[in-house]
């Protein structure tokens, strides 16, 4: 298959070697660009290259210049395949990829951008799924942006058309020690602030800066950046805008600004078809003691076939309805909702408490 899997890495030897295990069994080229590792990553890759594999492993080194797009573009330059699959060293194949189906999809969509489904593992929270653009023809695309870089066509007039691939990833980049997460957040925030200073306020960069603050637990600073981003005329159909609105709501709740969060009722017409948005609105209404409104949002979330965060359109929506019914004295409805949650531990506990004397 005429495909190059490109990975940029730095000081993530253990994760990278784990990610490589499934890839090496594929008949593809794997290009790893190291940007200055000091943890023997290059040596480990060199040993791996000596072993027999279906895949062809190519190792390159690139001096880190505080620019993720530059590193990714170097990986693309080093690749010889017609198609590029860009992968991070903390991402792993959830299941083996059927190469024949993937090759058929690539041939069917010349010049288009393939999306992969990624499951993000987040400490102490439900996993979240998202479709991300990662597969493309080398001749037509490159990356731009020092941080949270974006794939753009070489020809500004080219219309980007997306298609879904059969690639499913798991991402554990949010795990690690507090020191590691703080170091990564500090790096990202510095790069984003530098780019904002050079380019001026940009809604996407403000969103990413807010996300960085949010993941670092700085909720007030996150909400401030999200607020700035939403001050622009943004396209509500863009996925980052949808996530921007939802994360803004959580940042407001987590920083004690629950009444201000009610203002998001004004964008229900734009985002009310999304399970994650409806679930978030249910929590906002719940925190403002608007229980009837909260129930309606949770019911709506449960009617949407799919959500990004696991459970928002099923057991989490039912559980929160159960909590409201229990707190307002409607034991029968509370039991009904908790039973709908299946084996969700919190619901099992509440159900046991409500039925122990029955």
């Amino acid at each position: 298959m005429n495909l190059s899997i490109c990975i940029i890495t730095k000081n993530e030897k253990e994760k990278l070697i784990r990610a490589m295990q499934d890839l090496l069994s594929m008949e593809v080229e794997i290009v790893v660009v190291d940007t200055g590792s000091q943890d023997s990553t290059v040596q480990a890759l060199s040993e791996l290259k000596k072993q027999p594999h279906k895949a062809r492993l190519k190792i390159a080194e690139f001096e880190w210049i505080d620019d993720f797009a530059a590193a990714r573009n170097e990986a693309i330059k080093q690749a010889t395949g017609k198609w590029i699959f860009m992968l991070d060293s903390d991402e792993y194949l959830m299941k083996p990829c059927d190469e024949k189906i993937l090759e058929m999809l690539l041939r069917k969509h010349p010049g288009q951008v393939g999306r992969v489904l990624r499951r993000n593992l987040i400490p102490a929270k439900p996993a979240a799924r998202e479709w991300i653009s990662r597969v493309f023809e080398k001749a037509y695309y490159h990356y731009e942006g020092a941080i949270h870089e974006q794939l753009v066509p070489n020809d500004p007039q080219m219309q980007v058309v997306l298609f879904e691939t059969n690639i499913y990833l798991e991402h554990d980049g949010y795990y690690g020690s507090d020191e590691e997460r703080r170091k990564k957040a500090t790096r990202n925030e510095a790069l984003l602030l530098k780019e904002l200073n050079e380019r001026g306020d940009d809604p996407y960069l403000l969103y990413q800066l807010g996300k960085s603050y949010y993941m670092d637990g700085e909720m007030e600073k996150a909400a401030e950046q999200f607020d700035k981003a939403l001050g622009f005329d943004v396209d509500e159909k863009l996925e980052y805008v949808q996530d921007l609105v939802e994360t803004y709501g959580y940042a407001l709740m987590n920083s004690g600004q629950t009444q201000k969060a009610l203002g998001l009722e004004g964008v229900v017409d734009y985002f009310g078809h999304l399970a994650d948005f409806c679930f978030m609105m249910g929590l906002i209404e719940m925190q403002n003691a608007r229980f009837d409104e909260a129930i309606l949002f949770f019911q709506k979330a449960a009617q949407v076939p799919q959500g990004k965060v696991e459970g928002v359109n099923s057991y989490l929506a039912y559980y929160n309805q159960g909590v409201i019914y229990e707190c307002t004295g409607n034991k029968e409805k509370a039991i009904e909702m908790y039973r709908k949650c299946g084996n969700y531990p919190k619901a099992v506990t509440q159900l046991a408490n409500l039925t122990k004397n029955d």
Side-chain angles (χ1 to χ4, degrees):
M1 183 165 56
N2 199 2
L3 174 72
S4 294
I5 300 176
C6 296
I7 306 171
I8 62 171
T9 191
K10 183 177 182 180
N11 294 329
E12 291 194 284
K13 180 181 73 174
E14 300 301 326
K15 288 187 175 184
L16 177 61
I17 297 304
R18 176 188 162 190
M20 297 281 286
Q21 298 310 308
D22 290 326
L23 305 178
L24 290 168
S25 64
M26 300 173 64
E27 293 185 3
V28 296
E29 176 184 59
I30 302 174
V31 178
V32 181
V33 172
D34 186 87
T35 60
S37 293
Q38 298 176 330
D39 66 347
S40 69
T41 293
V42 175
Q43 296 92 318
L45 287 170
S46 297
E47 289 300 316
L48 201 59
K49 187 175 181 179
K50 295 176 184 177
Q51 301 171 18
H53 303 289
K54 283 187 177 181
R56 306 179 307 280
L57 178 57
K58 183 176 183 179
I59 308 165
E61 296 186 57
F62 181 74
E63 182 180 356
W64 178 244
I65 56 173
D66 288 340
D67 191 320
F68 280 91
R72 291 203 190 276
N73 289 333
E74 177 63 22
I76 295 171
K77 179 182 175 183
Q78 294 284 342
T80 62
K82 178 180 179 181
W83 285 85
I84 303 294
F85 169 26
M86 193 63 67
L87 188 70
D88 289 341
S89 52
D90 55 7
E91 295 173 336
Y92 321 102
L93 289 177
M94 287 179 63
K95 59 182 180 180
C97 177
D98 189 316
E99 296 174 59
K100 290 184 179 179
I101 293 178
L102 179 58
E103 186 172 13
M104 178 187 70
L105 285 169
L106 299 183
R107 289 179 177 176
K108 187 178 178 180
H109 299 278
Q112 298 180 14
V113 175
R115 315 241 290 161
V116 305
L117 183 62
R118 185 172 76 172
R119 184 172 182 262
N120 296 312
L121 304 179
I122 304 171
K125 293 183 180 179
R129 297 172 296 184
E130 61 179 341
W131 285 96
I132 52 177
S133 299
R134 289 293 187 82
V135 185
F136 54 92
E137 282 195 61
K138 176 180 177 177
Y140 298 125
Y141 296 92
H142 68 282
Y143 282 92
E144 291 183 3
I147 177 75
H148 296 295
E149 59 286 359
Q150 294 180 287
L151 187 67
V152 297
N154 298 335
D155 180 0
Q157 304 302 317
M158 181 178 178
Q159 183 178 2
V160 178
V161 179
L162 306 175
F163 70 96
E164 294 180 0
T165 71
N166 63 329
I167 300 172
Y168 304 97
L169 302 177
E170 197 159 73
H171 171 234
D172 68 359
Y174 298 115
Y175 277 83
S177 67
D178 290 341
E179 181 182 353
E180 289 172 331
R181 290 200 297 270
R182 178 89 281 276
K183 186 177 180 180
K184 183 180 288 188
T186 300
R187 177 204 65 191
N188 291 351
E189 288 157 18
L191 290 174
L192 285 163
L193 287 168
K194 178 183 176 183
E195 195 156 4
L196 280 164
N197 185 56
E198 292 174 352
R199 293 171 50 180
D201 280 352
D202 173 273
Y204 180 74
L205 292 176
L206 290 168
Y207 154 71
Q208 291 292 359
L209 181 59
K211 284 284 283 191
S212 186
Y213 287 141
Y214 183 86
M215 296 306 295
D216 200 32
E218 299 188 68
M219 298 299 167
E220 287 190 16
K221 293 175 74 173
E224 181 182 352
Q225 300 307 316
F226 294 144
D227 205 19
K228 286 182 182 179
L230 289 170
F232 286 79
D233 184 17
V234 292
D235 184 352
E236 71 276 2
K237 294 186 291 295
L238 296 176
E239 290 177 352
Y240 94 83
V241 175
Q242 296 169 5
D243 187 63
L244 161 62
V245 170
E246 291 159 11
T247 316
Y248 180 43
Y250 284 107
L252 289 174
M253 284 190 281
N254 292 334
S255 59
Q257 302 180 71
T258 53
Q259 190 167 5
K260 184 176 180 180
L262 283 172
L264 290 173
E265 287 181 335
V267 295
V268 169
D269 287 346
Y270 298 107
F271 305 104
H273 62 290
L274 302 171
D276 297 81
F277 175 82
C278 290
F279 180 81
M280 176 205 67
M281 287 304 305
L283 293 179
I284 291 172
E285 301 287 3
M286 197 173 173
Q287 288 196 10
N288 282 279
R290 293 160 54 94
F291 299 129
D292 290 341
E293 291 83 353
I295 289 287
L296 290 174
F297 274 116
F298 289 133
Q299 287 176 342
K300 193 170 182 181
Q303 293 169 0
V304 181
Q306 192 172 48
K308 289 183 297 182
V309 176
E310 293 178 2
V312 296
N313 63 332
S314 56
Y315 64 89
L316 291 178
Y318 297 134
Y319 174 76
N320 280 284
Q321 290 179 68
V323 170
I324 292 173
Y325 285 128
E326 183 177 357
C327 291
T328 54
N330 192 334
K331 179 180 176 180
E332 184 178 340
K333 287 293 291 185
I335 290 173
E336 178 188 342
M337 290 298 115
Y338 289 145
R339 282 177 173 159
K340 284 189 172 185
C341 297
N343 295 323
Y344 181 48
K346 289 184 176 181
V348 171
T349 299
Q350 293 304 109
L351 186 59
N353 290 336
L354 286 177
T355 58
K356 62 183 176 182
N357 295 322
D358 290 353

